[in-house]
Amino acid sequence: MPRDQTCGAGVADAAVAGRHSINLSPDMLANIHGRLSILDRLAFASVFRQSRDAFKPEAPWLVLPGETLETVTLFSPADRRATAVRAMDPSLRGHAVLGSSGGWLVTADARARMHVVNPVTGEQRALPAITTIPCLEERFGRSLFVFKLKPFVPGPPYDGVCKPHAMFCLVPEKMRSHLYRKVVLSAFPGGAAMLITHERFGVPAFATAEDAAWRLAPSREGVEDAVHHDGRFYSVTYSGAVEVWEHDADAGHFTSAAVTPRMIGNASGNTAWRRKYLVVVPGGRLMVVLKGWKRATHGCKRWSCSFKVLVLDGGQWKGTDDIGDAALFVGANESLYVSTRVHPELKPGHVYYTEDDLIQASPCDVYKGSSHYEHEDHRGVGVFCLKNGTVEDLEGLGQCPSWPPPAWFMPSIP
């Protein structure tokens, strides 16, 4: 595929060609589809939409920085192949990925603007400006964002860490690493978006198609991760309880209620586990993936990362290293549970991960001498085995830049 062609252009060309195609059986079309390269499969599926249920679904792909600012790289772990495509402006030029849902990426640029883009079709849209939050303003010719901390701080465990009555100031390019953390989408376009603020805050914000503004929502214990499932947003708090969010359309706000107990023991009390990801297993079962890192005891690596899976059993969270014939994908996306029966190219019982902390990934924010920021060895992409605790490189990927951090997404044609 030429470097100056977008995925969307390739899909459009294939659709035109498909008007003159001959009729083939679904089995024959599925056979052809399975033999094509990663982008050609999508173009093929866009032509033969009536037979797409017969085609093998795609496994998650990675979106990575390109060799130039004008390109991005798409990598398929199942195919172990990469291809370069043109980066749409403004959503993928100088972007940082904040989330991925249903084939759409949510990105933020250096001016703190958030966009939604489908890398396959090339469609892109703007999300509401962050300044639609009443307490957040741009000042000094849009060179600085200023806001009070109190509306962003729910209370314990944040008391003492942040002073709620203080003012917080950020230059635009720091907003995407110091205020934004992740964005989760419902059905898009035309749905809702949930913005998870950075770990130093904890209060999420919501925007809907009917109300094109961000509105802060109360969370007693702070939101660490979220997914959209079965028409509702679910989130996991810093204490390890799962909340479900309900939208009051008349009042225009979201409220939450806990639907699981908090985690106990090492699940929540061990500070080595510094990140939680919420996963919905087919059938609606909830799963939480804990990510931790620690100092390496030998070799040149200063840090090593590990993962632990928790499932609800008898009303309590319990650890397991057996996730059956499945692989988990976590990072700057809606965390994914993928069947390795459908995708035998992937490794069952493994966690495919990307770095998603934009502060840690940014080369501008590496503070020497502070162990919290000496993070070079747990950046990037890797594959963790739950059974034996080993970490492997993602086969076929090779070295990749640390900025912007890579992110998983499920390629999709609406």
Side-chain angles (χ1 to χ4, degrees), residues 171-253:
V171 296
E173 65 179 340
K174 295 293 184 182
M175 291 285 285
R176 59 188 179 183
S177 59
H178 290 69
L179 179 62
Y180 307 160
R181 184 166 194 175
K182 178 180 282 191
V183 176
V184 180
L185 302 174
S186 67
F188 195 85
M194 178 182 187
L195 168 65
I196 303 173
T197 55
H198 199 266
E199 60 185 345
R200 69 184 66 191
F201 304 116
V203 171
F206 291 87
T208 65
E210 296 78 17
D211 182 13
W214 292 106
R215 296 182 181 273
L216 297 177
S219 174
R220 299 179 186 87
E221 300 176 344
V223 169
E224 186 166 6
D225 193 35
V227 297
H228 189 266
H229 170 69
D230 198 24
R232 298 191 291 184
F233 290 99
Y234 290 80
S235 64
V236 59
T237 70
Y238 283 91
S239 67
V242 174
E243 300 174 320
V244 63
W245 293 83
E246 299 287 352
H247 181 217
D248 186 332
D250 294 332
H253 61 251

Coordinates of all heavy atoms in Angstrom, one line a residue, residues 171-253:
V171 N 0.0 24.1 30.7 CA 0.1 24.6 29.3 C -0.6 23.6 28.5 O -0.8 22.4 28.9 CB 1.6 24.7 28.9 CG1 2.3 25.7 29.7 CG2 2.3 23.3 29.0
P172 N -1.1 24.0 27.3 CA -2.0 23.1 26.5 C -1.4 21.7 26.2 O -2.1 20.7 26.3 CB -2.2 23.8 25.2 CG -2.1 25.3 25.6 CD -1.0 25.3 26.7
E173 N -0.1 21.6 25.9 CA 0.5 20.3 25.5 C 0.6 19.3 26.7 O 0.7 18.1 26.5 CB 1.8 20.4 24.9 CG 2.9 21.0 25.8 CD 4.2 21.1 25.1 OE1 4.4 20.4 24.1 OE2 5.1 21.9 25.5
K174 N 0.5 19.9 28.0 CA 0.5 19.0 29.1 C -0.8 18.5 29.5 O -0.9 17.6 30.4 CB 1.1 19.8 30.3 CG 2.6 20.2 30.1 CD 3.5 18.9 30.1 CE 5.0 19.3 30.0 NZ 5.8 18.2 29.9
M175 N -1.9 19.0 29.0 CA -3.2 18.6 29.3 C -3.4 17.1 29.1 O -4.1 16.4 29.9 CB -4.3 19.4 28.6 CG -4.4 20.9 29.0 SD -5.2 21.1 30.6 CE -6.9 20.8 30.1
R176 N -2.9 16.6 28.0 CA -3.2 15.3 27.6 C -2.4 14.3 28.4 O -2.7 13.1 28.4 CB -2.9 15.1 26.1 CG -1.4 15.4 25.7 CD -1.3 15.4 24.2 NE 0.1 15.7 23.8 CZ 0.4 15.8 22.5 NH1 -0.4 15.5 21.5 NH2 1.7 16.1 22.2
S177 N -1.4 14.7 29.2 CA -0.7 13.8 30.0 C -0.9 14.1 31.5 O -0.8 13.1 32.3 CB 0.9 13.9 29.7 OG 1.3 15.2 30.0
H178 N -1.3 15.3 31.9 CA -1.5 15.6 33.3 C -2.9 15.8 33.7 O -3.2 15.8 34.9 CB -0.7 16.9 33.6 CG 0.8 16.7 33.6 ND1 1.5 16.4 32.4 CD2 1.7 16.7 34.6 CE1 2.8 16.3 32.7 NE2 2.9 16.4 34.0
L179 N -3.9 15.9 32.8 CA -5.3 15.9 33.2 C -6.1 14.8 32.5 O -6.8 14.0 33.2 CB -5.9 17.2 32.8 CG -7.4 17.4 33.1 CD1 -7.7 17.3 34.6 CD2 -8.0 18.7 32.5
Y180 N -5.9 14.6 31.2 CA -6.6 13.5 30.5 C -5.9 12.1 30.9 O -4.7 12.1 31.0 CB -6.5 13.6 29.0 CG -7.0 15.0 28.5 CD1 -6.7 15.4 27.2 CD2 -7.9 15.8 29.3 CE1 -7.1 16.6 26.7 CE2 -8.3 17.0 28.8 CZ -7.9 17.4 27.5 OH -8.4 18.6 27.0
R181 N -6.7 11.1 31.0 CA -6.1 9.8 31.1 C -6.6 8.8 30.1 O -5.9 8.1 29.4 CB -6.3 9.2 32.5 CG -5.6 7.9 32.8 CD -5.6 7.5 34.2 NE -4.7 6.4 34.5 CZ -4.4 6.0 35.7 NH1 -4.9 6.5 36.7 NH2 -3.5 5.0 35.8
K182 N -7.9 8.7 30.0 CA -8.6 7.8 29.0 C -9.9 8.3 28.7 O -10.6 9.0 29.5 CB -8.7 6.4 29.6 CG -9.3 5.4 28.7 CD -9.4 4.0 29.3 CE -8.1 3.3 29.2 NZ -8.2 1.8 29.5
V183 N -10.4 8.0 27.4 CA -11.8 8.3 27.0 C -12.4 7.0 26.5 O -11.8 6.3 25.7 CB -11.8 9.4 25.9 CG1 -13.3 9.6 25.5 CG2 -11.2 10.7 26.4
V184 N -13.6 6.7 27.1 CA -14.3 5.6 26.7 C -15.6 6.0 26.0 O -16.3 6.9 26.4 CB -14.7 4.7 27.9 CG1 -15.5 3.5 27.5 CG2 -13.5 4.3 28.6
L185 N -15.9 5.4 24.8 CA -17.1 5.8 24.0 C -18.2 4.8 24.2 O -17.9 3.6 24.3 CB -16.7 5.9 22.6 CG -15.6 6.9 22.2 CD1 -15.3 6.8 20.7 CD2 -16.0 8.3 22.5
S186 N -19.4 5.2 24.1 CA -20.6 4.3 23.8 C -20.7 4.2 22.3 O -19.7 4.4 21.6 CB -21.8 4.9 24.5 OG -22.2 6.1 23.8
A187 N -21.8 3.8 21.8 CA -22.0 3.7 20.4 C -21.7 5.0 19.7 O -22.2 6.0 20.2 CB -23.4 3.3 20.1
F188 N -20.8 5.0 18.7 CA -20.4 6.2 18.1 C -20.5 6.1 16.6 O -20.2 5.0 16.1 CB -18.9 6.6 18.5 CG -18.6 8.0 18.2 CD1 -18.9 9.0 19.2 CD2 -17.9 8.3 17.1 CE1 -18.5 10.3 18.9 CE2 -17.6 9.6 16.8 CZ -17.9 10.6 17.7
P189 N -20.8 7.2 15.9 CA -21.2 8.5 16.4 C -22.6 8.5 16.9 O -23.4 7.6 16.7 CB -21.0 9.4 15.1 CG -21.3 8.4 14.0 CD -20.8 7.1 14.4
G190 N -22.9 9.6 17.6 CA -24.2 9.8 18.2 C -24.4 9.3 19.6 O -25.5 9.3 20.1
G191 N -23.3 8.9 20.3 CA -23.4 8.3 21.6 C -22.8 9.3 22.6 O -22.9 10.5 22.5
A192 N -22.3 8.7 23.7 CA -21.7 9.4 24.8 C -20.3 9.1 25.0 O -19.8 8.1 24.5 CB -22.5 9.1 26.1
A193 N -19.6 10.0 25.7 CA -18.1 9.8 25.9 C -17.9 10.0 27.4 O -18.5 10.9 28.0 CB -17.3 10.7 25.1
M194 N -17.0 9.2 28.0 CA -16.6 9.3 29.4 C -15.1 9.6 29.4 O -14.3 8.8 29.0 CB -16.9 8.0 30.1 CG -16.5 8.0 31.6 SD -16.9 6.4 32.3 CE -16.5 6.7 34.1
L195 N -14.8 10.7 30.0 CA -13.4 11.1 30.2 C -12.9 10.8 31.6 O -13.5 11.2 32.6 CB -13.2 12.6 29.9 CG -11.9 13.3 30.3 CD1 -10.7 12.7 29.5 CD2 -11.9 14.8 30.2
I196 N -11.9 9.9 31.7 CA -11.3 9.6 33.0 C -10.1 10.6 33.2 O -9.2 10.6 32.4 CB -10.8 8.2 33.0 CG1 -12.0 7.2 32.7 CG2 -10.2 7.8 34.4 CD1 -11.6 5.8 32.6
T197 N -10.2 11.3 34.3 CA -9.1 12.3 34.5 C -7.9 11.5 35.2 O -8.0 10.4 35.6 CB -9.5 13.4 35.5 OG1 -10.1 12.8 36.6 CG2 -10.6 14.2 34.7
H198 N -6.8 12.2 35.2 CA -5.5 11.5 35.7 C -5.6 11.1 37.1 O -6.4 11.5 37.9 CB -4.3 12.5 35.5 CG -3.0 11.7 35.5 ND1 -2.3 11.6 36.6 CD2 -2.3 11.1 34.5 CE1 -1.2 10.9 36.3 NE2 -1.2 10.6 35.1
E199 N -4.7 10.1 37.5 CA -4.8 9.5 38.8 C -4.7 10.5 40.0 O -5.2 10.2 41.1 CB -3.7 8.4 38.9 CG -2.3 9.0 38.8 CD -1.3 7.9 38.8 OE1 -1.6 6.7 39.2 OE2 -0.1 8.1 38.4
R200 N -4.1 11.6 39.7 CA -4.0 12.6 40.8 C -5.3 13.3 41.1 O -5.5 14.0 42.1 CB -3.0 13.7 40.5 CG -3.4 14.6 39.3 CD -2.2 15.6 39.0 NE -1.1 14.9 38.4 CZ 0.1 15.4 38.3 NH1 0.3 16.7 38.6 NH2 1.1 14.7 37.8
F201 N -6.3 13.1 40.2 CA -7.7 13.6 40.4 C -8.6 12.5 40.7 O -8.7 12.1 41.9 CB -8.1 14.4 39.1 CG -7.1 15.5 38.8 CD1 -6.4 15.4 37.6 CD2 -6.9 16.5 39.6 CE1 -5.5 16.4 37.2 CE2 -6.0 17.5 39.3 CZ -5.3 17.5 38.1
G202 N -9.4 12.0 39.8 CA -10.3 10.9 40.1 C -11.7 11.1 39.7 O -12.5 10.1 39.6
V203 N -12.1 12.3 39.4 CA -13.5 12.6 39.0 C -13.6 12.5 37.5 O -12.9 13.2 36.8 CB -14.0 13.9 39.5 CG1 -15.4 14.3 38.9 CG2 -14.1 13.9 41.0
P204 N -14.5 11.7 37.0 CA -14.7 11.6 35.5 C -15.6 12.7 35.0 O -16.3 13.4 35.8 CB -15.4 10.2 35.3 CG -16.2 10.1 36.5 CD -15.4 10.7 37.7
A205 N -15.6 12.9 33.7 CA -16.6 13.8 33.0 C -17.2 13.1 31.9 O -16.7 12.2 31.3 CB -15.8 15.0 32.5
F206 N -18.5 13.5 31.6 CA -19.3 12.9 30.5 C -19.7 13.9 29.5 O -20.0 15.1 29.9 CB -20.5 12.2 31.1 CG -20.2 10.9 31.9 CD1 -19.9 11.0 33.2 CD2 -20.2 9.7 31.3 CE1 -19.6 9.9 34.0 CE2 -19.9 8.6 32.1 CZ -19.6 8.7 33.4
A207 N -19.8 13.5 28.2 CA -20.4 14.3 27.2 C -21.3 13.5 26.4 O -21.0 12.3 26.1 CB -19.3 14.9 26.3
T208 N -22.4 14.0 25.9 CA -23.4 13.3 25.1 C -23.6 14.0 23.8 O -23.3 15.2 23.7 CB -24.7 13.1 25.9 OG1 -25.3 14.4 26.1 CG2 -24.5 12.4 27.2
A209 N -24.2 13.3 22.9 CA -24.5 14.0 21.6 C -25.6 15.1 21.8 O -25.6 16.1 21.1 CB -25.0 12.9 20.6
E210 N -26.5 14.9 22.7 CA -27.5 15.9 23.0 C -27.0 17.1 23.7 O -27.5 18.2 23.5 CB -28.7 15.3 23.8 CG -29.4 14.1 23.1 CD -28.7 12.8 23.1 OE1 -27.7 12.7 24.0 OE2 -29.0 11.9 22.3
D211 N -26.0 16.9 24.5 CA -25.4 18.0 25.3 C -23.9 18.0 25.0 O -23.2 17.4 25.7 CB -25.7 17.7 26.8 CG -25.2 18.9 27.7 OD1 -24.8 19.9 27.1 OD2 -25.1 18.7 28.9
A212 N -23.6 18.8 24.1 CA -22.2 18.8 23.6 C -21.3 19.6 24.5 O -20.7 20.7 24.2 CB -22.1 19.4 22.2
A213 N -21.2 19.1 25.8 CA -20.3 19.8 26.8 C -19.9 18.7 27.8 O -20.6 17.7 28.0 CB -21.1 20.9 27.5
W214 N -18.7 18.9 28.4 CA -18.2 17.9 29.4 C -18.9 18.4 30.7 O -18.8 19.5 31.1 CB -16.7 18.0 29.5 CG -16.0 17.4 28.3 CD1 -15.4 18.1 27.3 CD2 -15.9 16.0 28.0 NE1 -14.9 17.2 26.4 CE2 -15.2 15.9 26.8 CE3 -16.4 14.8 28.5 CZ2 -14.9 14.7 26.1 CZ3 -16.1 13.6 27.9 CH2 -15.3 13.6 26.7
R215 N -19.4 17.4 31.5 CA -19.9 17.6 32.8 C -19.3 16.7 33.8 O -19.3 15.4 33.6 CB -21.5 17.4 32.8 CG -22.2 18.4 31.9 CD -23.7 18.1 32.0 NE -24.4 19.1 31.1 CZ -24.8 20.3 31.5 NH1 -24.6 20.7 32.7 NH2 -25.5 21.0 30.7
L216 N -18.7 17.2 34.8 CA -18.1 16.4 35.9 C -19.2 15.6 36.6 O -20.3 16.0 36.8 CB -17.3 17.3 36.9 CG -16.1 18.1 36.3 CD1 -15.5 18.9 37.4 CD2 -15.1 17.1 35.7
A217 N -18.8 14.4 37.0 CA -19.7 13.5 37.7 C -19.1 13.0 39.0 O -17.9 12.7 39.0 CB -20.1 12.3 36.8
P218 N -19.9 12.9 40.1 CA -19.3 12.5 41.4 C -18.9 11.0 41.4 O -19.6 10.2 40.8 CB -20.4 12.8 42.4 CG -21.7 12.7 41.5 CD -21.3 13.2 40.2
S219 N -17.8 10.8 42.0 CA -17.3 9.4 42.2 C -16.6 9.4 43.6 O -15.6 10.1 43.8 CB -16.3 8.9 41.2 OG -15.8 7.7 41.5
R220 N -17.2 8.6 44.5 CA -16.7 8.7 45.9 C -15.3 8.2 46.1 O -14.6 8.7 46.9 CB -17.6 7.8 46.8 CG -19.1 8.3 46.8 CD -19.9 7.4 47.7 NE -21.4 7.7 47.6 CZ -22.2 7.2 46.7 NH1 -21.7 6.3 45.8 NH2 -23.4 7.5 46.7
E221 N -14.9 7.3 45.2 CA -13.5 6.7 45.4 C -12.6 6.9 44.2 O -11.5 6.3 44.2 CB -13.7 5.2 45.8 CG -14.5 4.9 47.0 CD -14.7 3.4 47.3 OE1 -14.5 2.7 46.3 OE2 -15.1 3.1 48.4
G222 N -13.0 7.7 43.3 CA -12.2 7.9 42.1 C -12.3 6.8 41.1 O -12.3 5.6 41.4
V223 N -12.3 7.2 39.8 CA -12.4 6.2 38.7 C -11.0 6.0 38.1 O -10.3 6.9 37.8 CB -13.3 6.8 37.6 CG1 -13.2 5.9 36.4 CG2 -14.8 6.8 38.1
E224 N -10.6 4.7 38.0 CA -9.3 4.4 37.5 C -9.4 3.8 36.0 O -8.5 4.1 35.2 CB -8.6 3.3 38.3 CG -7.2 3.0 37.9 CD -6.4 2.2 38.9 OE1 -7.0 1.9 40.0 OE2 -5.2 2.0 38.7
D225 N -10.5 3.1 35.7 CA -10.6 2.6 34.4 C -12.1 2.4 34.1 O -12.9 2.3 35.1 CB -9.9 1.3 34.2 CG -9.8 0.9 32.7 OD1 -9.7 1.8 31.9 OD2 -9.8 -0.3 32.4
A226 N -12.5 2.2 32.9 CA -13.9 2.1 32.5 C -14.1 1.4 31.2 O -13.2 1.4 30.4 CB -14.6 3.4 32.5
V227 N -15.3 0.8 31.0 CA -15.6 0.2 29.7 C -17.1 0.6 29.5 O -17.8 1.0 30.4 CB -15.5 -1.4 29.7 CG1 -14.0 -1.7 29.9 CG2 -16.4 -2.0 30.8
H228 N -17.5 0.4 28.3 CA -19.0 0.5 27.9 C -19.5 -0.9 27.5 O -18.9 -1.5 26.7 CB -19.2 1.5 26.8 CG -20.6 1.8 26.6 ND1 -21.4 1.2 25.7 CD2 -21.4 2.7 27.2 CE1 -22.6 1.7 25.7 NE2 -22.7 2.6 26.6
H229 N -20.5 -1.3 28.2 CA -21.1 -2.6 28.0 C -22.6 -2.6 28.2 O -23.1 -2.1 29.1 CB -20.4 -3.6 29.0 CG -21.1 -5.0 28.9 ND1 -21.0 -5.9 27.9 CD2 -21.8 -5.6 29.9 CE1 -21.7 -7.0 28.1 NE2 -22.2 -6.8 29.4
D230 N -23.3 -3.3 27.2 CA -24.7 -3.5 27.3 C -25.4 -2.2 27.6 O -26.4 -2.1 28.4 CB -25.0 -4.5 28.4 CG -26.4 -5.1 28.3 OD1 -27.0 -5.1 27.2 OD2 -26.9 -5.6 29.3
G231 N -25.0 -1.1 26.9 CA -25.7 0.2 27.0 C -25.3 1.1 28.2 O -25.9 2.1 28.3
R232 N -24.4 0.6 29.0 CA -24.0 1.5 30.2 C -22.5 1.5 30.4 O -21.8 0.6 29.9 CB -24.7 0.9 31.4 CG -26.2 0.9 31.4 CD -26.8 0.6 32.7 NE -26.6 -0.8 33.1 CZ -27.2 -1.3 34.2 NH1 -27.9 -0.5 35.0 NH2 -27.0 -2.6 34.5
F233 N -22.0 2.5 31.0 CA -20.6 2.6 31.4 C -20.4 1.9 32.8 O -21.2 2.1 33.7 CB -20.2 4.1 31.6 CG -20.1 4.9 30.3 CD1 -21.2 5.7 29.9 CD2 -19.0 4.7 29.5 CE1 -21.1 6.4 28.7 CE2 -19.0 5.4 28.3 CZ -20.0 6.3 27.9
Y234 N -19.4 1.1 32.8 CA -18.9 0.5 34.1 C -17.5 1.0 34.4 O -16.7 1.1 33.5 CB -18.9 -1.0 33.9 CG -20.2 -1.7 33.8 CD1 -20.9 -1.7 32.6 CD2 -20.8 -2.3 35.0 CE1 -22.2 -2.3 32.6 CE2 -22.0 -2.9 34.9 CZ -22.7 -2.9 33.7 OH -24.0 -3.5 33.6
S235 N -17.2 1.3 35.6 CA -15.9 1.7 36.0 C -15.4 1.0 37.2 O -16.2 0.4 38.0 CB -15.9 3.2 36.3 OG -16.7 3.5 37.4
V236 N -14.1 1.0 37.4 CA -13.5 0.4 38.6 C -12.8 1.5 39.4 O -12.1 2.4 38.8 CB -12.5 -0.7 38.2 CG1 -11.3 -0.2 37.3 CG2 -11.9 -1.4 39.5
T237 N -13.0 1.5 40.7 CA -12.5 2.6 41.5 C -11.1 2.2 42.0 O -10.6 1.1 41.8 CB -13.4 2.8 42.7 OG1 -13.3 1.7 43.6 CG2 -14.8 3.0 42.3
Y238 N -10.4 3.2 42.7 CA -9.1 2.9 43.2 C -9.1 1.9 44.3 O -8.1 1.2 44.5 CB -8.4 4.2 43.6 CG -7.9 5.0 42.4 CD1 -8.8 6.0 41.8 CD2 -6.7 4.8 41.9 CE1 -8.3 6.7 40.7 CE2 -6.3 5.5 40.8 CZ -7.1 6.4 40.2 OH -6.7 7.1 39.1
S239 N -10.2 1.7 44.9 CA -10.3 0.7 46.0 C -10.7 -0.7 45.4 O -10.8 -1.7 46.1 CB -11.3 1.1 47.0 OG -12.6 1.1 46.5
G240 N -11.0 -0.7 44.1 CA -11.3 -2.0 43.5 C -12.8 -2.4 43.4 O -13.2 -3.5 43.1
A241 N -13.7 -1.4 43.7 CA -15.1 -1.7 43.5 C -15.5 -1.3 42.1 O -15.0 -0.3 41.5 CB -16.0 -0.9 44.5
V242 N -16.5 -2.0 41.5 CA -17.0 -1.7 40.2 C -18.3 -0.9 40.3 O -19.2 -1.3 41.1 CB -17.2 -3.0 39.3 CG1 -17.9 -2.6 38.0 CG2 -15.9 -3.7 39.1
E243 N -18.4 0.2 39.6 CA -19.6 1.0 39.6 C -20.3 0.9 38.2 O -19.6 0.8 37.2 CB -19.2 2.5 39.9 CG -18.6 2.7 41.2 CD -18.1 4.1 41.4 OE1 -17.6 4.7 40.4 OE2 -18.2 4.7 42.5
V244 N -21.6 1.1 38.2 CA -22.3 1.3 37.0 C -22.9 2.7 37.0 O -23.3 3.2 38.0 CB -23.4 0.2 36.8 CG1 -24.5 0.3 37.9 CG2 -24.1 0.3 35.5
W245 N -22.9 3.3 35.8 CA -23.3 4.7 35.6 C -24.6 4.8 34.9 O -24.8 4.1 33.9 CB -22.2 5.5 34.9 CG -21.0 5.6 35.7 CD1 -19.9 4.7 35.7 CD2 -20.6 6.7 36.5 NE1 -18.9 5.2 36.5 CE2 -19.3 6.4 37.0 CE3 -21.2 7.9 36.8 CZ2 -18.6 7.2 37.9 CZ3 -20.5 8.8 37.7 CH2 -19.2 8.4 38.2
E246 N -25.5 5.6 35.5 CA -26.8 5.8 34.9 C -26.9 7.3 34.4 O -26.5 8.2 35.1 CB -27.9 5.5 35.9 CG -28.0 4.1 36.3 CD -28.5 3.1 35.3 OE1 -28.9 3.6 34.2 OE2 -28.4 1.9 35.5
H247 N -27.5 7.5 33.3 CA -27.7 8.8 32.7 C -29.1 9.3 33.0 O -30.1 8.7 32.5 CB -27.4 8.9 31.2 CG -27.5 10.2 30.6 ND1 -28.0 10.4 29.3 CD2 -27.2 11.4 31.1 CE1 -27.9 11.7 29.1 NE2 -27.5 12.3 30.1
D248 N -29.2 10.5 33.7 CA -30.5 11.1 33.9 C -30.6 12.2 32.8 O -30.1 13.3 32.9 CB -30.6 11.8 35.2 CG -32.0 12.3 35.6 OD1 -32.7 12.7 34.6 OD2 -32.3 12.4 36.7
A249 N -31.3 11.8 31.7 CA -31.4 12.7 30.5 C -32.1 14.1 30.9 O -31.7 15.1 30.4 CB -32.1 12.0 29.4
D250 N -33.1 14.0 31.8 CA -33.8 15.3 32.1 C -32.8 16.2 32.9 O -32.8 17.4 32.7 CB -35.0 14.9 33.0 CG -36.0 14.2 32.2 OD1 -36.1 14.4 30.9 OD2 -36.8 13.4 32.8
A251 N -32.1 15.6 33.9 CA -31.2 16.5 34.7 C -29.9 16.7 34.0 O -29.1 17.7 34.3 CB -30.9 15.8 36.0
G252 N -29.5 15.9 33.0 CA -28.3 16.1 32.2 C -27.0 15.7 32.9 O -26.0 16.2 32.6
H253 N -27.1 14.7 33.8 CA -25.9 14.3 34.5 C -25.9 12.7 34.7 O -26.9 12.1 34.6 CB -25.7 15.0 35.9 CG -26.9 14.7 36.8 ND1 -27.8 15.7 37.2 CD2 -27.2 13.6 37.5 CE1 -28.6 15.2 38.1 NE2 -28.3 13.9 38.3

